[in-house]
mmCIF file of all heavy atoms in Angstrom:
data_model
loop_
_atom_site.group_PDB
_atom_site.id
_atom_site.type_symbol
_atom_site.label_atom_id
_atom_site.label_comp_id
_atom_site.label_asym_id
_atom_site.label_seq_id
_atom_site.Cartn_x
_atom_site.Cartn_y
_atom_site.Cartn_z
ATOM 1 N N PRO A 1 -18.256 20.890 -17.701
ATOM 2 C CA PRO A 1 -17.169 21.840 -17.474
ATOM 3 C C PRO A 1 -15.846 21.136 -17.279
ATOM 4 O O PRO A 1 -15.818 19.968 -16.897
ATOM 5 C CB PRO A 1 -17.581 22.567 -16.181
ATOM 6 C CG PRO A 1 -18.432 21.576 -15.458
ATOM 7 C CD PRO A 1 -19.179 20.833 -16.548
ATOM 8 N N THR A 2 -14.823 21.889 -17.576
ATOM 9 C CA THR A 2 -13.478 21.349 -17.409
ATOM 10 C C THR A 2 -13.158 21.172 -15.925
ATOM 11 O O THR A 2 -13.339 22.084 -15.134
ATOM 12 C CB THR A 2 -12.436 22.296 -18.025
ATOM 13 O OG1 THR A 2 -12.787 22.494 -19.393
ATOM 14 C CG2 THR A 2 -11.043 21.707 -17.920
ATOM 15 N N THR A 3 -12.709 19.995 -15.609
ATOM 16 C CA THR A 3 -12.394 19.688 -14.213
ATOM 17 C C THR A 3 -11.027 20.229 -13.853
ATOM 18 O O THR A 3 -10.060 19.994 -14.587
ATOM 19 C CB THR A 3 -12.433 18.172 -13.980
ATOM 20 O OG1 THR A 3 -13.682 17.696 -14.401
ATOM 21 C CG2 THR A 3 -12.198 17.849 -12.504
ATOM 22 N N SER A 4 -10.943 20.954 -12.738
ATOM 23 C CA SER A 4 -9.639 21.463 -12.274
ATOM 24 C C SER A 4 -8.965 20.390 -11.455
ATOM 25 O O SER A 4 -9.609 19.755 -10.619
ATOM 26 C CB SER A 4 -9.823 22.714 -11.424
ATOM 27 O OG SER A 4 -10.614 22.430 -10.302
ATOM 28 N N VAL A 5 -7.748 20.182 -11.751
ATOM 29 C CA VAL A 5 -7.013 19.111 -11.076
ATOM 30 C C VAL A 5 -6.039 19.745 -10.094
ATOM 31 O O VAL A 5 -5.274 20.623 -10.452
ATOM 32 C CB VAL A 5 -6.246 18.269 -12.110
ATOM 33 C CG1 VAL A 5 -5.477 17.152 -11.394
ATOM 34 C CG2 VAL A 5 -7.211 17.706 -13.132
ATOM 35 N N GLY A 6 -6.080 19.267 -8.850
ATOM 36 C CA GLY A 6 -5.129 19.739 -7.832
ATOM 37 C C GLY A 6 -3.924 18.826 -7.770
ATOM 38 O O GLY A 6 -4.033 17.639 -8.049
ATOM 39 N N PHE A 7 -2.804 19.407 -7.408
ATOM 40 C CA PHE A 7 -1.568 18.622 -7.323
ATOM 41 C C PHE A 7 -1.228 18.440 -5.847
ATOM 42 O O PHE A 7 -1.143 19.384 -5.108
ATOM 43 C CB PHE A 7 -0.426 19.376 -8.023
ATOM 44 C CG PHE A 7 -0.635 19.473 -9.515
ATOM 45 C CD1 PHE A 7 -1.371 20.537 -10.037
ATOM 46 C CD2 PHE A 7 -0.126 18.515 -10.347
ATOM 47 C CE1 PHE A 7 -1.552 20.632 -11.403
ATOM 48 C CE2 PHE A 7 -0.315 18.626 -11.710
ATOM 49 C CZ PHE A 7 -1.040 19.666 -12.250
ATOM 50 N N SER A 8 -1.070 17.176 -5.506
ATOM 51 C CA SER A 8 -0.712 16.831 -4.123
ATOM 52 C C SER A 8 0.795 16.690 -4.030
ATOM 53 O O SER A 8 1.478 16.486 -5.028
ATOM 54 C CB SER A 8 -1.383 15.526 -3.688
ATOM 55 O OG SER A 8 -0.997 14.479 -4.550
ATOM 56 N N ALA A 9 1.285 16.804 -2.826
ATOM 57 C CA ALA A 9 2.725 16.691 -2.612
ATOM 58 C C ALA A 9 3.173 15.306 -2.977
ATOM 59 O O ALA A 9 2.563 14.308 -2.588
ATOM 60 C CB ALA A 9 3.079 16.977 -1.163
ATOM 61 N N SER A 10 4.168 15.195 -3.774
ATOM 62 C CA SER A 10 4.657 13.896 -4.226
ATOM 63 C C SER A 10 6.125 13.799 -3.901
ATOM 64 O O SER A 10 6.872 14.738 -4.072
ATOM 65 C CB SER A 10 4.450 13.733 -5.735
ATOM 66 O OG SER A 10 5.060 12.565 -6.211
ATOM 67 N N PRO A 11 6.572 12.639 -3.493
ATOM 68 C CA PRO A 11 7.972 12.488 -3.153
ATOM 69 C C PRO A 11 8.828 12.154 -4.324
ATOM 70 O O PRO A 11 9.957 11.725 -4.173
ATOM 71 C CB PRO A 11 7.953 11.343 -2.136
ATOM 72 C CG PRO A 11 6.786 10.517 -2.524
ATOM 73 C CD PRO A 11 5.774 11.463 -3.043
ATOM 74 N N PHE A 12 8.276 12.287 -5.594
ATOM 75 C CA PHE A 12 9.059 11.886 -6.756
ATOM 76 C C PHE A 12 9.260 13.066 -7.670
ATOM 77 O O PHE A 12 8.476 13.996 -7.736
ATOM 78 C CB PHE A 12 8.349 10.767 -7.528
ATOM 79 C CG PHE A 12 7.807 9.697 -6.636
ATOM 80 C CD1 PHE A 12 6.462 9.557 -6.409
ATOM 81 C CD2 PHE A 12 8.688 8.854 -5.976
ATOM 82 C CE1 PHE A 12 6.002 8.598 -5.578
ATOM 83 C CE2 PHE A 12 8.209 7.877 -5.139
ATOM 84 C CZ PHE A 12 6.866 7.734 -4.925
ATOM 85 N N SER A 13 10.332 12.981 -8.432
ATOM 86 C CA SER A 13 10.624 14.003 -9.421
ATOM 87 C C SER A 13 9.791 13.797 -10.663
ATOM 88 O O SER A 13 9.219 12.724 -10.886
ATOM 89 C CB SER A 13 12.110 13.958 -9.761
ATOM 90 O OG SER A 13 12.433 12.705 -10.348
ATOM 91 N N SER A 14 9.698 14.823 -11.503
ATOM 92 C CA SER A 14 8.874 14.766 -12.721
ATOM 93 C C SER A 14 9.416 13.730 -13.672
ATOM 94 O O SER A 14 8.675 13.073 -14.399
ATOM 95 C CB SER A 14 8.831 16.136 -13.358
ATOM 96 O OG SER A 14 10.146 16.566 -13.690
ATOM 97 N N GLY A 15 10.734 13.527 -13.674
ATOM 98 C CA GLY A 15 11.300 12.521 -14.570
ATOM 99 C C GLY A 15 10.864 11.134 -14.218
ATOM 100 O O GLY A 15 10.560 10.302 -15.057
ATOM 101 N N GLN A 16 10.815 10.861 -12.874
ATOM 102 C CA GLN A 16 10.385 9.529 -12.454
ATOM 103 C C GLN A 16 8.934 9.297 -12.792
ATOM 104 O O GLN A 16 8.539 8.217 -13.252
ATOM 105 C CB GLN A 16 10.592 9.412 -10.944
ATOM 106 C CG GLN A 16 12.051 9.411 -10.551
ATOM 107 C CD GLN A 16 12.225 9.447 -9.046
ATOM 108 O OE1 GLN A 16 11.331 9.914 -8.361
ATOM 109 N NE2 GLN A 16 13.358 8.931 -8.602
ATOM 110 N N VAL A 17 8.063 10.285 -12.606
ATOM 111 C CA VAL A 17 6.646 10.112 -12.942
ATOM 112 C C VAL A 17 6.481 9.942 -14.435
ATOM 113 O O VAL A 17 5.666 9.160 -14.925
ATOM 114 C CB VAL A 17 5.831 11.317 -12.423
ATOM 115 C CG1 VAL A 17 4.391 11.200 -12.811
ATOM 116 C CG2 VAL A 17 5.964 11.394 -10.910
ATOM 117 N N GLY A 18 7.255 10.708 -15.217
ATOM 118 C CA GLY A 18 7.127 10.606 -16.669
ATOM 119 C C GLY A 18 7.487 9.242 -17.166
ATOM 120 O O GLY A 18 6.802 8.678 -18.060
ATOM 121 N N GLU A 19 8.519 8.605 -16.591
ATOM 122 C CA GLU A 19 8.883 7.275 -17.024
ATOM 123 C C GLU A 19 7.788 6.288 -16.710
ATOM 124 O O GLU A 19 7.457 5.407 -17.480
ATOM 125 C CB GLU A 19 10.184 6.872 -16.321
ATOM 126 C CG GLU A 19 11.377 7.693 -16.799
ATOM 127 C CD GLU A 19 12.614 7.332 -15.999
ATOM 128 O OE1 GLU A 19 12.485 6.428 -15.146
ATOM 129 O OE2 GLU A 19 13.669 7.955 -16.224
ATOM 130 N N GLY A 20 7.160 6.452 -15.518
ATOM 131 C CA GLY A 20 6.056 5.536 -15.168
ATOM 132 C C GLY A 20 4.903 5.702 -16.099
ATOM 133 O O GLY A 20 4.231 4.737 -16.481
ATOM 134 N N LEU A 21 4.565 6.946 -16.451
ATOM 135 C CA LEU A 21 3.432 7.177 -17.334
ATOM 136 C C LEU A 21 3.703 6.669 -18.739
ATOM 137 O O LEU A 21 2.799 6.170 -19.425
ATOM 138 C CB LEU A 21 3.099 8.665 -17.380
ATOM 139 C CG LEU A 21 2.580 9.242 -16.055
ATOM 140 C CD1 LEU A 21 2.319 10.739 -16.218
ATOM 141 C CD2 LEU A 21 1.320 8.520 -15.627
ATOM 142 N N SER A 22 4.922 6.742 -19.217
ATOM 143 C CA SER A 22 5.256 6.242 -20.566
ATOM 144 C C SER A 22 5.027 4.764 -20.635
ATOM 145 O O SER A 22 4.459 4.226 -21.586
ATOM 146 C CB SER A 22 6.703 6.578 -20.889
ATOM 147 O OG SER A 22 6.872 7.976 -20.928
ATOM 148 N N ASP A 23 5.448 4.031 -19.550
ATOM 149 C CA ASP A 23 5.223 2.581 -19.544
ATOM 150 C C ASP A 23 3.745 2.293 -19.537
ATOM 151 O O ASP A 23 3.262 1.358 -20.187
ATOM 152 C CB ASP A 23 5.888 1.982 -18.300
ATOM 153 C CG ASP A 23 7.410 2.177 -18.370
ATOM 154 O OD1 ASP A 23 7.901 2.394 -19.489
ATOM 155 O OD2 ASP A 23 8.058 2.111 -17.297
ATOM 156 N N SER A 24 2.954 3.074 -18.743
ATOM 157 C CA SER A 24 1.496 2.832 -18.701
ATOM 158 C C SER A 24 0.874 3.080 -20.048
ATOM 159 O O SER A 24 -0.036 2.354 -20.495
ATOM 160 C CB SER A 24 0.862 3.730 -17.642
ATOM 161 O OG SER A 24 1.447 3.449 -16.399
ATOM 162 N N ARG A 25 1.322 4.131 -20.709
ATOM 163 C CA ARG A 25 0.743 4.447 -22.013
ATOM 164 C C ARG A 25 1.076 3.362 -23.043
ATOM 165 O O ARG A 25 0.235 2.971 -23.854
ATOM 166 C CB ARG A 25 1.268 5.798 -22.499
ATOM 167 C CG ARG A 25 0.685 6.977 -21.713
ATOM 168 C CD ARG A 25 1.451 8.228 -21.999
ATOM 169 N NE ARG A 25 0.895 9.358 -21.247
ATOM 170 C CZ ARG A 25 1.466 10.528 -21.171
ATOM 171 N NH1 ARG A 25 2.607 10.735 -21.775
ATOM 172 N NH2 ARG A 25 0.887 11.504 -20.482
ATOM 173 N N SER A 26 2.265 2.879 -23.016
ATOM 174 C CA SER A 26 2.647 1.830 -23.956
ATOM 175 C C SER A 26 1.816 0.593 -23.737
ATOM 176 O O SER A 26 1.318 -0.060 -24.676
ATOM 177 C CB SER A 26 4.127 1.484 -23.791
ATOM 178 O OG SER A 26 4.902 2.638 -24.033
ATOM 179 N N GLN A 27 1.629 0.235 -22.457
ATOM 180 C CA GLN A 27 0.827 -0.942 -22.169
ATOM 181 C C GLN A 27 -0.611 -0.728 -22.596
ATOM 182 O O GLN A 27 -1.277 -1.617 -23.122
ATOM 183 C CB GLN A 27 0.893 -1.239 -20.658
ATOM 184 C CG GLN A 27 0.119 -2.498 -20.256
ATOM 185 C CD GLN A 27 0.227 -2.754 -18.755
ATOM 186 O OE1 GLN A 27 0.861 -1.993 -18.090
ATOM 187 N NE2 GLN A 27 -0.389 -3.833 -18.308
ATOM 188 N N LEU A 28 -1.148 0.485 -22.399
ATOM 189 C CA LEU A 28 -2.522 0.762 -22.786
ATOM 190 C C LEU A 28 -2.686 0.737 -24.296
ATOM 191 O O LEU A 28 -3.705 0.268 -24.818
ATOM 192 C CB LEU A 28 -2.930 2.146 -22.241
ATOM 193 C CG LEU A 28 -4.372 2.586 -22.481
ATOM 194 C CD1 LEU A 28 -5.325 1.579 -21.830
ATOM 195 C CD2 LEU A 28 -4.599 3.966 -21.909
ATOM 196 N N ARG A 29 -1.654 1.170 -25.017
ATOM 197 C CA ARG A 29 -1.732 1.170 -26.472
ATOM 198 C C ARG A 29 -1.763 -0.232 -27.011
ATOM 199 O O ARG A 29 -2.462 -0.555 -27.962
ATOM 200 C CB ARG A 29 -0.550 1.950 -27.042
ATOM 201 C CG ARG A 29 -0.604 2.072 -28.572
ATOM 202 C CD ARG A 29 0.459 3.021 -29.101
ATOM 203 N NE ARG A 29 1.779 2.559 -28.733
ATOM 204 C CZ ARG A 29 2.553 3.169 -27.883
ATOM 205 N NH1 ARG A 29 2.120 4.239 -27.265
ATOM 206 N NH2 ARG A 29 3.771 2.701 -27.625
ATOM 207 N N THR A 30 -1.068 -1.119 -26.393
ATOM 208 C CA THR A 30 -1.071 -2.506 -26.873
ATOM 209 C C THR A 30 -2.363 -3.199 -26.533
ATOM 210 O O THR A 30 -2.776 -4.157 -27.210
ATOM 211 C CB THR A 30 0.102 -3.273 -26.233
ATOM 212 O OG1 THR A 30 -0.020 -3.197 -24.824
ATOM 213 C CG2 THR A 30 1.427 -2.647 -26.676
ATOM 214 N N GLU A 31 -3.008 -2.794 -25.461
ATOM 215 C CA GLU A 31 -4.249 -3.440 -25.065
ATOM 216 C C GLU A 31 -5.457 -2.891 -25.802
ATOM 217 O O GLU A 31 -6.534 -3.485 -25.777
ATOM 218 C CB GLU A 31 -4.456 -3.292 -23.561
ATOM 219 C CG GLU A 31 -3.406 -4.073 -22.745
ATOM 220 C CD GLU A 31 -3.607 -3.856 -21.270
ATOM 221 O OE1 GLU A 31 -4.523 -3.083 -20.917
ATOM 222 O OE2 GLU A 31 -2.867 -4.485 -20.461
ATOM 223 N N LEU A 32 -5.396 -1.693 -26.427
ATOM 224 C CA LEU A 32 -6.531 -1.080 -27.145
ATOM 225 C C LEU A 32 -6.207 -1.005 -28.632
ATOM 226 O O LEU A 32 -5.608 -0.045 -29.113
ATOM 227 C CB LEU A 32 -6.801 0.324 -26.594
ATOM 228 C CG LEU A 32 -7.236 0.402 -25.112
ATOM 229 C CD1 LEU A 32 -7.378 1.838 -24.692
ATOM 230 C CD2 LEU A 32 -8.513 -0.342 -24.886
ATOM 231 N N PRO A 33 -6.578 -2.009 -29.403
ATOM 232 C CA PRO A 33 -6.353 -1.951 -30.863
ATOM 233 C C PRO A 33 -7.279 -0.940 -31.479
ATOM 234 O O PRO A 33 -8.333 -0.614 -30.948
ATOM 235 C CB PRO A 33 -6.661 -3.368 -31.317
ATOM 236 C CG PRO A 33 -7.570 -3.929 -30.291
ATOM 237 C CD PRO A 33 -7.220 -3.278 -29.010
ATOM 238 N N VAL A 34 -6.886 -0.451 -32.641
ATOM 239 C CA VAL A 34 -7.637 0.605 -33.307
ATOM 240 C C VAL A 34 -8.941 0.091 -33.872
ATOM 241 O O VAL A 34 -9.861 0.860 -34.125
ATOM 242 C CB VAL A 34 -6.807 1.233 -34.425
ATOM 243 C CG1 VAL A 34 -5.601 1.916 -33.836
ATOM 244 C CG2 VAL A 34 -6.324 0.168 -35.422
ATOM 245 N N THR A 35 -9.049 -1.208 -34.023
ATOM 246 C CA THR A 35 -10.264 -1.747 -34.618
ATOM 247 C C THR A 35 -11.332 -2.002 -33.596
ATOM 248 O O THR A 35 -12.431 -2.413 -33.928
ATOM 249 C CB THR A 35 -9.953 -3.075 -35.323
ATOM 250 O OG1 THR A 35 -9.369 -3.970 -34.365
ATOM 251 C CG2 THR A 35 -8.960 -2.833 -36.468
ATOM 252 N N SER A 36 -10.992 -1.829 -32.318
ATOM 253 C CA SER A 36 -11.999 -2.091 -31.274
ATOM 254 C C SER A 36 -13.003 -0.995 -31.258
ATOM 255 O O SER A 36 -12.703 0.183 -31.497
ATOM 256 C CB SER A 36 -11.329 -2.199 -29.909
ATOM 257 O OG SER A 36 -10.691 -0.992 -29.604
ATOM 258 N N PRO A 37 -14.238 -1.319 -31.008
ATOM 259 C CA PRO A 37 -15.292 -0.292 -30.971
ATOM 260 C C PRO A 37 -15.118 0.633 -29.785
ATOM 261 O O PRO A 37 -14.615 0.242 -28.740
ATOM 262 C CB PRO A 37 -16.580 -1.107 -30.840
ATOM 263 C CG PRO A 37 -16.152 -2.372 -30.194
ATOM 264 C CD PRO A 37 -14.769 -2.666 -30.711
ATOM 265 N N VAL A 38 -15.499 1.874 -29.988
ATOM 266 C CA VAL A 38 -15.431 2.855 -28.903
ATOM 267 C C VAL A 38 -16.702 2.796 -28.119
ATOM 268 O O VAL A 38 -17.785 2.968 -28.659
ATOM 269 C CB VAL A 38 -15.224 4.272 -29.458
ATOM 270 C CG1 VAL A 38 -15.188 5.275 -28.320
ATOM 271 C CG2 VAL A 38 -13.945 4.331 -30.268
ATOM 272 N N LEU A 39 -16.570 2.544 -26.854
ATOM 273 C CA LEU A 39 -17.729 2.407 -26.001
ATOM 274 C C LEU A 39 -17.870 3.673 -25.164
ATOM 275 O O LEU A 39 -16.934 4.105 -24.519
ATOM 276 C CB LEU A 39 -17.574 1.208 -25.065
ATOM 277 C CG LEU A 39 -17.397 -0.147 -25.805
ATOM 278 C CD1 LEU A 39 -17.216 -1.246 -24.768
ATOM 279 C CD2 LEU A 39 -18.586 -0.447 -26.695
ATOM 280 N N PRO A 40 -19.033 4.267 -25.178
ATOM 281 C CA PRO A 40 -19.217 5.461 -24.337
ATOM 282 C C PRO A 40 -19.197 5.106 -22.868
ATOM 283 O O PRO A 40 -19.621 4.035 -22.486
ATOM 284 C CB PRO A 40 -20.597 5.968 -24.772
ATOM 285 C CG PRO A 40 -21.310 4.775 -25.284
ATOM 286 C CD PRO A 40 -20.275 3.886 -25.929
ATOM 287 N N VAL A 41 -18.736 6.026 -22.083
ATOM 288 C CA VAL A 41 -18.638 5.809 -20.648
ATOM 289 C C VAL A 41 -19.652 6.666 -19.945
ATOM 290 O O VAL A 41 -19.762 7.841 -20.217
ATOM 291 C CB VAL A 41 -17.230 6.191 -20.128
ATOM 292 C CG1 VAL A 41 -16.821 5.256 -19.036
ATOM 293 C CG2 VAL A 41 -16.216 6.166 -21.234
ATOM 294 N N THR A 42 -20.421 6.033 -19.082
ATOM 295 C CA THR A 42 -21.435 6.800 -18.358
ATOM 296 C C THR A 42 -20.821 7.543 -17.193
ATOM 297 O O THR A 42 -21.389 8.512 -16.724
ATOM 298 C CB THR A 42 -22.527 5.855 -17.871
ATOM 299 O OG1 THR A 42 -21.926 4.883 -17.041
ATOM 300 C CG2 THR A 42 -23.200 5.178 -19.045
ATOM 301 N N GLN A 43 -19.675 7.063 -16.694
ATOM 302 C CA GLN A 43 -19.016 7.773 -15.580
ATOM 303 C C GLN A 43 -17.515 7.672 -15.780
ATOM 304 O O GLN A 43 -16.996 6.597 -16.035
ATOM 305 C CB GLN A 43 -19.406 7.152 -14.233
ATOM 306 C CG GLN A 43 -18.849 7.958 -13.050
ATOM 307 C CD GLN A 43 -19.367 7.405 -11.735
ATOM 308 O OE1 GLN A 43 -20.196 6.523 -11.767
ATOM 309 N NE2 GLN A 43 -18.893 7.961 -10.659
ATOM 310 N N THR A 44 -16.849 8.798 -15.702
ATOM 311 C CA THR A 44 -15.432 8.849 -16.028
ATOM 312 C C THR A 44 -14.595 8.261 -14.890
ATOM 313 O O THR A 44 -14.864 8.506 -13.726
ATOM 314 C CB THR A 44 -15.005 10.303 -16.250
ATOM 315 O OG1 THR A 44 -15.842 10.855 -17.238
ATOM 316 C CG2 THR A 44 -13.555 10.356 -16.708
ATOM 317 N N THR A 45 -13.592 7.477 -15.270
ATOM 318 C CA THR A 45 -12.643 6.942 -14.295
ATOM 319 C C THR A 45 -11.427 7.844 -14.268
ATOM 320 O O THR A 45 -10.838 8.123 -15.316
ATOM 321 C CB THR A 45 -12.225 5.509 -14.690
ATOM 322 O OG1 THR A 45 -13.346 4.696 -14.660
ATOM 323 C CG2 THR A 45 -11.164 4.989 -13.702
ATOM 324 N N VAL A 46 -11.033 8.276 -13.080
ATOM 325 C CA VAL A 46 -9.911 9.183 -12.923
ATOM 326 C C VAL A 46 -8.844 8.491 -12.076
ATOM 327 O O VAL A 46 -9.134 7.919 -11.041
ATOM 328 C CB VAL A 46 -10.331 10.498 -12.214
ATOM 329 C CG1 VAL A 46 -9.114 11.427 -12.094
ATOM 330 C CG2 VAL A 46 -11.452 11.138 -12.985
ATOM 331 N N LEU A 47 -7.626 8.507 -12.595
ATOM 332 C CA LEU A 47 -6.485 7.912 -11.881
ATOM 333 C C LEU A 47 -5.553 9.021 -11.390
ATOM 334 O O LEU A 47 -5.248 9.940 -12.148
ATOM 335 C CB LEU A 47 -5.713 6.953 -12.799
ATOM 336 C CG LEU A 47 -6.501 5.756 -13.328
ATOM 337 C CD1 LEU A 47 -5.588 4.939 -14.233
ATOM 338 C CD2 LEU A 47 -7.072 4.920 -12.225
ATOM 339 N N LEU A 48 -5.143 8.925 -10.128
ATOM 340 C CA LEU A 48 -4.175 9.865 -9.555
ATOM 341 C C LEU A 48 -2.833 9.172 -9.524
ATOM 342 O O LEU A 48 -2.615 8.228 -8.762
ATOM 343 C CB LEU A 48 -4.563 10.289 -8.135
ATOM 344 C CG LEU A 48 -3.599 11.266 -7.438
ATOM 345 C CD1 LEU A 48 -3.496 12.545 -8.247
ATOM 346 C CD2 LEU A 48 -4.060 11.521 -6.025
#
């Protein structure tokens, strides 16, 4: 089932969080080449 995500009080604006996530995504894209095999995950990792 689809997991419902709750939002906790954050002291930052959406713009500040968006900039942080863009940097994380860019770094993740460079670290995961398209030729790498996809490995199934037995337990999902969730980041807040």
Side-chain angles (χ1 to χ4, degrees):
T2 303
T3 305
S4 60
V5 180
F7 293 88
S8 59
S10 173
F12 315 107
S13 63
S14 59
Q16 292 174 336
V17 177
E19 292 175 3
L21 294 178
S22 297
D23 296 340
S24 300
R25 289 167 180 171
S26 300
Q27 183 180 0
L28 184 60
R29 184 171 60 248
T30 58
E31 293 178 357
L32 297 176
V34 296
T35 57
S36 61
V38 178
L39 301 178
V41 216
T42 59
Q43 186 174 355
T44 305
T45 298
V46 181
L47 299 179
L48 179 60

